Amino acid sequence: MHSSGLTQSLNENALSLEASEALPWLLETLSPQHCLLLIGIGSSSAVLWANETRLNEGIREALTESIHYTIVPLTKSLWGVRLIRREAQEDPSMDLGLHTLCRSLVRRLDSAFRRDLSALNQEAGIGIETEVGLFTVTPVSSLTAAQELDGHIAELNDLLDMIANQELTCQFQPIVDLRDGYTYGYEALIRSPKGRLVRRFGQMFEAADRASMVAWFDIACQEQCFVQAAKLGLKRSLFVNMDAAGLAYLDLHDRSLAARAHDLGLSPSRIVIEITERQAIEDFPRLIQYMNRLRADGFKIAIDDAGAGYNSLYTISEMRPDFIKIDRAMVRNIDVNGERRALLAALLQYARRIGTAVLAEGAETEGELATLIDLGIPYGQGYLMGRPQDDFRGVTKNLREFIEKRAELRKTLQSGQVYTISELARPGLTMSEDTLLNLAVRRFSRDPSLTSIVVTLNERPLGLLMRSRVQSLLDVVRETKSYDEVPEKPISEWIETSALNVHGTTPINEVARQAMTRKDISLDTDILVTETDGRYRGVVPARMLLEAATGVQENRRRYADSLTGMPGRVALEQIARERLGENGSLAFIRFDIEGLESFNRRFGVIYGDDAIQATARLLRETAIEIGQPQDFLSHLGGDNFVVLTVPERSRAFVEAMKTKFEQIKSQFFSGEQIRQGFFDLEEPGGGIRKVPLISLCFATSDNRTRRFGKYPQVMSELDALLLPATRGQGTRKAA
C-alpha cells in the first residue's frame, strides 16, 4: 500500500451525498422496510483509509446470513448502510444478531485499518499518523411517522437529561415466600421525578427503544437500583429488570455488572436479573451464552412475564432460569377460573421438573393469594402483599398470619387429612332481598369474575342469584349498552332458594358427595356455607370443591399405608403438631395387635395382614358410630394404629373397639381355639408352645388434667404405656 491509496480514498469520499440528497435517502431508510446502520469514523487517518470497497469487505465478513444492503457516504466521516428486511422479519435493530453484526463490523474495520496502516508505516518516506482508527457502528430504528419526530425527540431529550443528571429513582416491592409469609426479596422498579415529560417506565422504555438506546437505558437503571439498594442496606434478594436485547451490550462496558455490584458492597448471589422479551428473540444460543456469563459471575436469572408475549414454554426450556415470573393476566381471578388454575398447576409441575421456582405476580385479593398457596406456588408479589415503596418493607402481620394459616392448610391437604368446607369459603357478594335486579345485573356486568350474589335476611342466606340466571340480560346490556331492558323487580324473585347449603364444619369430601347427587349443580355453581347457628359465612365454587376433594384423595393415596389405605406417619405428625399447637381438647389412642408375630408364624403373613386390615376396618366403623368428623385415624405400619379424638369420646371408642375385636376372632380361629383361648405353636428347636390368641392392646393419653408436651414426647409416652402389654402382662394400659 502507498500514499496514492489514501489519496484515492479521499477522492472517493468526496463523492458523498449532498445534503439535499442525504435527507430523502435517510427518511426512506428509516421506513419500517429497512434498517439503518451509521458507520462513524473518528480519526483523520481512518477517514483517508475508508472507502466503499473496504467498508463492503468488512460488512460482508461480518454478516452471518445473506442480507441485501446498500452503502452510501453521507459525509467524509459518516457512512450509511441500508439493510433491507426480509418479509415478516422483525425489526433487525432489536435482534441480538444485529447487535452482534455491529460489534463484529467494528472489530473487522479496526483490524483491517491497523493492518494496512502498519504495512504503510513500513514503507519509507510516508508520514502518516500512527493513531489507531476509531470506528463506531450504530443501529437506528425505523420511524413510523415523520410527524411524530418532534414528540419523540422531546421525550428522548427528557430521558437523556434524567440519566445525565442521575434523576432516576427506584422503589422496592416485596416478594413474599408463600410457604411462611416472610419477605424473600424485593423487585426494584424505576421511577422518574415529578414534572417530567416521561413519567411512566413504559414511556421511558419507548423513548429509549426508538433511539436504539435500550441497552444503555438498562445499564443506567441497574446502576440506580444497585446504588439505592446498597444505601438501604440490602439483606435479601434484589430483582432487577433487563431487556433481553440489552444483554449483548454488557461486555462493551468498561466494568462488568458484577464488578459494579461489588463496588457498592452488593453480592451478585443476592441479585436476580429479570430477563424481559419485548420482541421475539431467535438467537437463543447467543442469548444463553450471555446469560451463562451472568450466572458465572454469581447472578441468578428470572424470566419475566411468563405466560405473556414471547415468553413461552420454549423460552423457559431453552433458558432454564432460576425463577419464572407469572404474568398478572394469568393470576387475575384465578380463584374462580378453573382453566387458569389448571394451566398454572401444569406450569408449576413443569418448573419443578427443571429445577425452577415459580413467582406469581399481581395477586390483589385474598382469594387469588389463597389459590396460589393452595397450588403450591412458592413465591408471590402484588399490591395485596405490598405496594412499591422508597425503602424495604415487608408484609403486614395480619397478612403473614393469613399466609401461614393457608400454608398449614395446604400441608393438611397434602397429608390426605380431610378438612372442613369453611377453609375453602370466600366472602362472596351479599345483597338484601329488596335490592333491585338492576343493581345486581350492573355488578355482574362490571365484574366478570363474579359468579353469584348471595341474598340474605338478618345475616342468613335466602338463596343465590347465579350469573347464569341473568346471562340473557347481560347479553342484552352488552349489545345495547343500556340497562333499560332489565326488569324493575326485587332480586328475591330471581334467586334459587334450593341452593346447596352446608355448615362450615362439614368435611369437604362429604360436601362433594352431596354435590354429586344434585342434578342442579354444575361446575359453575356456587355452594352456600353457613355457621352452625345458620349465619352466612361464604360461598365455595363447585369446581374448586371438586378440585380440593380430588386433591385430598390423591394425596391420601400418596401418603397412605399401602395395606390399609390409612394416612401414615407423615400425615399423623403433621396433624398432631397442628392440633397440639392449637391447645384444644385432645386425646391420643394407640392400638396394637398383641401376639401378631406368633400368629404370623403359625398361620402365615397373609392371615396376619388380614387381621391388620380387619382392625383398620373396625377403627373406621367405630369412628363413624362414636367419633366426630375431626377425628383422625392413622396406621403407622405393622400392627400400630393411632387415633386422635377428644377426651370425652376416648373411653367409649376404646370399649367399642375391644368389643368389635373380640367378635372378629371367629374369622381367624376355630371354635375350640376360641374356647381354650390359645393355639399351638411349634418351636424352631422342637416342642409345642401354647400361645394366647391375638388381642387388642391400647394406651390412651389426653390433656384434661395436664398439658401435652411435644409430639415426640407424646408418642414416646404411649410406647412406654404399651410395654407391659407387649411383655404379656396385660392387654390394657391407660393414662
Side-chain angles (χ1 to χ4, degrees):
M1 181 177 181
H2 48 78
S3 59
S4 61
L6 290 177
T7 304
Q8 170 96 23
S9 296
L10 183 58
N11 290 336
E12 290 176 352
N13 284 343
L15 299 177
S16 60
L17 298 180
E18 298 293 336
S20 58
E21 298 174 326
L23 183 58
W25 186 88
L26 284 172
L27 290 177
E28 180 183 354
T29 303
L30 290 174
S31 69
Q33 290 77 32
H34 306 106
C35 180
L36 172 65
L37 300 183
L38 295 178
I39 303 177
I41 307 173
S43 70
S44 58
S45 57
V47 169
L48 291 173
W49 173 83
N51 59 34
E52 184 175 350
T53 301
R54 293 189 177 109
L55 294 180
N56 268 320
E57 182 179 353
I59 294 171
R60 284 194 296 269
E61 291 178 352
L63 287 172
T64 58
E65 57 180 320
S66 177
I67 297 178
H68 294 293
Y69 70 92
T70 57
I71 179 170
V72 299
L74 301 176
T75 68
K76 289 183 179 180
S77 60
L78 185 67
W79 290 70
V81 180
R82 176 192 292 170
L83 299 178
I84 303 174
R85 288 174 41 180
R86 295 192 303 272
E87 185 177 358
Q89 180 182 347
E90 293 294 330
D91 189 346
S93 68
M94 293 310 300
D95 188 273
L96 281 177
L98 183 62
H99 296 309
T100 304
L101 167 63
C102 294
R103 294 171 53 211
S104 177
L105 181 55
V106 167
R107 289 196 301 267
R108 292 178 186 279
L109 292 177
D110 187 67
S111 176
F113 169 72
R114 284 185 290 169
R115 182 191 63 232
D116 291 348
L117 187 63
S118 176
L120 186 61
N121 283 336
Q122 293 177 5
E123 296 183 14
I126 302 299
I128 300 298
E129 56 200 42
T130 58
E131 62 180 292
V132 176
L134 176 65
F135 295 91
T136 61
V137 181
T138 305
V140 180
S141 299
S142 60
L143 299 177
T144 56
Q147 59 268 31
E148 297 178 359
L149 279 173
D150 290 341
H152 292 167
I153 292 174
E155 292 178 352
L156 178 59
N157 286 337
D158 193 49
L159 177 62
L160 292 175
D161 188 57
M162 284 189 287
I163 294 176
N165 295 313
Q166 297 184 340
E167 294 181 8
L168 292 175
T169 61
C170 67
Q171 292 185 317
F172 302 93
Q173 186 175 28
I175 292 170
V176 181
D177 191 324
L178 300 184
R179 292 161 295 191
D180 57 20
Y182 285 89
T183 302
Y184 173 79
Y186 300 89
E187 180 178 3
L189 302 168
I190 289 296
R191 299 289 186 260
S192 65
K194 292 182 179 180
R196 282 294 185 174
L197 180 62
V198 285
R199 295 285 306 278
R200 296 179 292 102
F201 178 81
Q203 290 178 295
M204 289 187 274
F205 178 84
E206 289 173 3
D209 185 25
R210 284 190 291 265
S212 298
M213 290 177 50
V214 169
W216 314 110
F217 175 60
D218 269 346
I219 292 297
C221 292
Q222 290 161 6
E223 290 277 5
Q224 188 58 41
C225 295
F226 288 178
V227 168
Q228 284 191 232
K231 286 182 178 178
L232 292 171
L234 178 70
K235 301 236 186 306
R236 301 186 184 278
S237 295
L238 180 69
F239 287 67
V240 179
N241 289 278
M242 185 170 189
D243 190 76
L247 288 175
Y249 282 112
L250 283 178
D251 54 358
L252 296 182
H253 295 267
D254 55 349
R255 292 183 63 74
S256 69
L257 200 61
R260 292 197 293 274
H262 283 301
D263 289 345
L264 294 167
L266 298 178
S267 170
S269 63
R270 289 189 179 274
I271 299 174
V272 182
I273 304 297
E274 292 188 21
I275 306 297
T276 301
E277 282 186 273
R278 293 181 176 92
Q279 290 83 23
I281 298 297
E282 296 181 358
D283 195 355
F284 274 107
R286 191 173 299 277
L287 179 60
I288 293 172
Q289 180 183 357
Y290 293 129
M291 289 171 54
N292 288 339
R293 291 183 190 175
L294 291 173
R295 283 194 172 105
D297 287 336
F299 295 100
K300 295 183 176 66
I301 301 297
I303 293 296
D304 199 11
D305 295 337
Y310 296 104
N311 282 331
S312 62
L313 288 178
Y314 174 72
T315 304
I316 296 169
S317 67
E318 289 293 306
M319 297 183 180
R320 289 183 173 267
D322 300 284
F323 295 88
I324 299 171
K325 296 195 73 175
I326 303 300
D327 184 63
R328 162 66 184 157
M330 191 180 295
V331 175
R332 185 184 297 113
N333 300 326
I334 195 171
D335 52 327
V336 295
N337 190 307
E339 290 78 9
R340 287 181 191 163
R341 286 199 300 277
L343 179 59
L344 187 51
L347 182 58
L348 176 64
Q349 184 178 14
Y350 172 72
R352 285 171 175 165
R353 288 180 180 273
I354 63 173
T356 297
V358 175
L359 194 166
E361 294 184 285
E364 297 179 2
T365 68
E366 285 191 353
E368 292 171 348
L369 178 58
T371 302
L372 295 176
I373 297 171
D374 293 345
L375 288 172
I377 303 297
Y379 302 104
Q381 180 181 357
Y383 283 173
L384 179 66
M385 288 166 274
R387 291 178 175 270
Q389 302 288 342
D390 295 332
D391 54 3
F392 297 141
R393 300 186 189 181
V395 299
T396 64
K397 179 181 178 182
N398 289 340
L399 186 63
R400 185 168 63 249
E401 291 176 348
F402 172 86
I403 294 173
E404 289 176 342
K405 181 179 178 181
R406 197 73 189 191
E408 286 299 319
L409 177 64
R410 180 174 182 271
K411 291 181 181 178
T412 301
L413 171 62
Q414 285 186 308
S415 69
Q417 166 68 358
V418 177
Y419 54 88
T420 62
I421 192 66
S422 63
E423 304 290 355
L424 292 179
R426 54 190 181 90
L429 175 64
T430 62
M431 290 184 176
S432 61
E433 61 176 338
D434 56 353
T435 303
L436 292 179
L437 181 64
N438 188 287
L439 178 59
V441 172
R442 288 176 184 271
R443 292 300 299 269
F444 278 123
S445 181
R446 289 199 301 266
D447 186 359
S449 69
L450 184 62
T451 55
S452 68
I453 295 175
V454 183
V455 179
T456 61
L457 176 63
N458 297 327
E459 299 185 2
R460 286 164 170 73
L462 296 177
L464 276 176
L465 178 64
M466 295 299 302
R467 172 180 286 272
S468 57
R469 182 81 168 84
V470 296
Q471 187 59 55
S472 59
L473 295 176
L474 291 172
D475 293 339
V476 172
V477 169
R478 186 173 60 254
E479 293 174 2
T480 64
K481 295 181 172 41
S482 170
Y483 292 89
D484 294 341
E485 300 298 322
V486 179
E488 293 293 327
K489 293 184 177 182
I491 191 175
S492 58
E493 296 184 16
W494 285 67
I495 63 174
E496 299 173 17
T497 57
S498 60
L500 180 57
N501 187 335
V502 296
H503 287 162
T505 57
T506 309
I508 60 168
N509 56 347
E510 174 59 29
V511 180
R513 280 194 290 269
Q514 293 182 33
M516 294 290 286
T517 62
R518 296 276 296 261
K519 294 183 178 180
D520 59 335
I521 293 182
S522 67
L523 290 178
D524 298 320
T525 304
D526 282 349
I527 297 167
L528 285 168
V529 181
T530 58
E531 304 286 3
T532 53
D533 60 2
R535 288 180 297 111
Y536 171 72
R537 180 182 179 90
V539 293
V540 174
R543 186 189 301 272
M544 181 177 292
L545 167 67
L546 295 180
E547 288 175 359
T550 302
V552 167
Q553 295 301 323
E554 291 177 351
N555 285 292
R556 177 180 286 177
R557 287 193 294 270
R558 183 182 306 167
Y559 292 99
D561 181 86
S562 58
L563 181 62
T564 62
M566 281 184 167
R569 291 183 180 273
V570 174
L572 172 63
E573 181 172 353
Q574 290 178 351
I575 299 303
R577 290 183 185 277
E578 177 183 327
R579 297 193 182 179
L580 287 169
E582 294 171 353
N583 293 323
S585 181
L586 182 63
F588 286 77
I589 310 175
R590 170 78 177 269
F591 290 103
D592 284 4
I593 303 176
E594 172 64 13
L596 186 63
E597 181 180 357
S598 297
F599 180 83
N600 285 339
R601 288 173 54 194
R602 171 63 175 82
F603 299 100
V605 175
I606 292 179
Y607 286 97
D609 287 348
D610 288 344
I612 293 172
Q613 289 175 323
T615 304
R617 184 177 66 255
L618 296 182
L619 285 170
R620 293 189 180 100
E621 292 176 359
T622 305
I624 293 173
E625 297 170 1
I626 297 176
Q628 57 182 10
Q630 286 74 27
D631 284 353
F632 184 77
L633 313 179
S634 62
H635 181 197
L636 306 188
D639 61 346
N640 303 321
F641 297 87
V642 172
V643 176
L644 300 187
T645 184
V646 294
E648 297 77 15
R649 304 286 181 94
S650 61
R651 184 176 181 82
F653 202 110
V654 168
E655 293 300 325
M657 279 297 297
K658 287 170 55 182
T659 301
K660 291 176 179 290
F661 195 87
E662 289 299 318
Q663 293 172 351
I664 67 167
K665 286 186 177 180
S666 60
Q667 300 177 23
F668 306 104
F669 302 104
S670 65
E672 181 65 20
Q673 289 171 331
I674 292 176
R675 284 191 297 273
Q676 293 176 348
F678 61 85
F679 60 87
D680 294 333
L681 178 64
E682 184 177 350
E683 295 291 356
I688 301 296
R689 179 165 63 93
K690 298 186 182 302
V691 178
L693 306 183
I694 58 174
S695 59
L696 193 66
C697 63
F698 66 91
T700 66
S701 184
D702 61 57
N703 59 356
R704 281 181 292 191
T705 59
R706 62 189 179 89
R707 289 178 60 87
F708 274 134
K710 299 295 185 180
Y711 170 75
Q713 295 172 319
V714 175
M715 297 304 292
S716 295
E717 179 182 290
L718 292 173
D719 287 340
L721 290 171
L722 281 172
L723 280 177
T726 57
R727 291 172 181 167
Q729 299 178 16
T731 58
R732 177 179 184 274
K733 187 69 178 177

